[in-house]
Amino acid sequence: MVNAGGNGNIPARYQDKYQNDTSDVVLIFCDTDKKPYEQYEDIKRKINEFHGVDNAADAVVIFGNPCTMQIVIEHWQEVKLKSPAKSVNAPIIQECTGVENYKGREDQRKAMMDKITSANYEDMKERIGRLSVVDTEKNSSNIGSFLKDFESEDDSWIELINKKLNENE
């Protein structure tokens, strides 16, 4: 896993990994609702252009709207986050996890992750399944379909993604 260090770096990091890595598949996880909002659309456009396929980004971009926390918090409670701002979400995070004054520090993220169990993972999957998969809608994510693939013993989904990315070849 590579942290791109900001939305503006994602397309270049993706291209580098795709061209120079030995991974079977390269996926992107990004938030849709960070300012400037145009960056998310720009990421998808650049991925599509890189592959020369109109819907390449649909195959490799996993999104959380408004942010990744929308997905993480679903382990404990069905919540519709209104903002990606950590300061706005801190009280919800504290209520669900006991982590106080959440600011996204590594120790706080670790404390949250330590509270994920197989039981609340199953709860999260069920809750995620009720979210919209339309990336322009608040409180949406497409991670549910990827989770099914990640959990499957059948890895043919990787081949399907790669086939879609190479349709123009």
Side-chain angles (χ1 to χ4, degrees):
M1 183 182 295
V2 174
N3 184 338
N7 284 350
N9 300 327
I10 290 174
R13 297 273 170 93
Y14 173 82
Q15 290 176 23
D16 179 60
K17 282 292 199 187
Y18 187 84
Q19 292 174 321
N20 300 313
D21 197 72
T22 58
S23 300
D24 293 330
V25 69
V26 179
L27 302 173
I28 297 168
F29 192 101
C30 62
D31 299 343
T32 61
D33 201 24
K34 284 189 175 176
K35 294 180 184 179
Y37 305 114
E38 299 80 21
Q39 280 187 339
Y40 173 72
E41 290 300 324
D42 192 48
I43 290 166
K44 293 193 315 182
R45 180 185 56 74
K46 287 179 178 176
I47 298 303
N48 291 341
E49 287 174 0
F50 171 68
H51 288 288
V53 179
D54 290 340
N55 60 352
D58 295 339
V60 298
V61 175
I62 304 169
F63 68 87
N65 185 335
C67 58
T68 307
M69 189 55 66
Q70 178 63 57
I71 297 159
V72 175
I73 204 74
E74 297 289 334
H75 284 86
W76 300 281
Q77 189 174 326
E78 189 161 355
V79 174
K80 304 293 188 216
L81 296 180
K82 295 175 177 64
S83 165
K86 291 173 182 65
S87 60
V88 172
N89 296 325
I92 297 166
I93 293 166
Q94 182 173 347
E95 176 186 333
C96 293
T97 68
V99 175
E100 296 180 4
N101 197 25
Y102 186 79
K103 295 182 183 198
R105 294 188 324 259
E106 185 176 346
D107 64 311
Q108 292 175 317
R109 291 190 316 268
K110 183 180 179 332
M112 284 181 62
M113 296 304 123
D114 286 348
K115 295 181 184 302
I116 293 176
T117 65
S118 58
N120 65 27
Y121 174 79
E122 292 300 322
D123 292 341
M124 177 273 297
K125 288 193 319 185
E126 184 178 316
R127 292 178 185 124
I128 291 295
R130 293 192 289 266
L131 295 178
S132 169
V133 295
V134 178
D135 59 3
T136 55
E137 292 182 14
K138 267 287 202 236
N139 309 113
S140 62
S141 179
N142 64 344
I143 196 169
S145 63
F146 283 92
L147 291 176
K148 290 174 190 164
D149 290 338
F150 297 157
E151 294 172 359
S152 174
E153 291 186 26
D154 177 8
D155 63 1
S156 63
W157 62 274
I158 296 171
E159 292 173 30
L160 293 173
I161 288 174
N162 288 321
K163 184 178 178 183
K164 184 181 275 190
L165 298 178
N166 298 303
E167 285 178 350
N168 284 344
E169 290 183 358

